[in-house]
Amino acid sequence: EVFNVGLGERVTLLAVIDMIADAAGYRATPQFAPRRAGDVDHSWADLAKIRSVLGYAPTTTLAPAIAAFVRGECAATARV
């Protein structure tokens, strides 16, 4: 069986870029190009199925999750 796993919140790509930049401690300057086939304006995981079948409920929001990921990646890179 297949489930969407996420945080159940809608987020734009620019918001994700800002969260990554904040976590990494720098300011990103996105460069915009013409839209391509398949580009999305925002992403959102519908958690209805995973909630009903498995009782899944997110315990964090996206910004702290991204920050934890960036910290982990920075720590892993420093060990290489």
Side-chain angles (χ1 to χ4, degrees), residues 46-78:
D46 182 353
L47 304 181
K49 181 179 175 183
I50 196 167
R51 279 188 175 131
S52 69
V53 175
L54 300 178
Y56 171 79
T59 58
T60 189
T61 57
L62 190 55
I66 287 176
F69 175 79
V70 170
R71 280 192 307 273
E73 286 300 303
C74 288
T77 301

Side-chain angles (χ1 to χ4, degrees), residues 14-34:
L14 288 176
V16 172
I17 291 168
D18 284 343
M19 290 177 207
I20 294 169
D22 289 345
Y26 73 92
R27 271 303 7 120
T29 305
Q31 295 182 3
F32 297 94

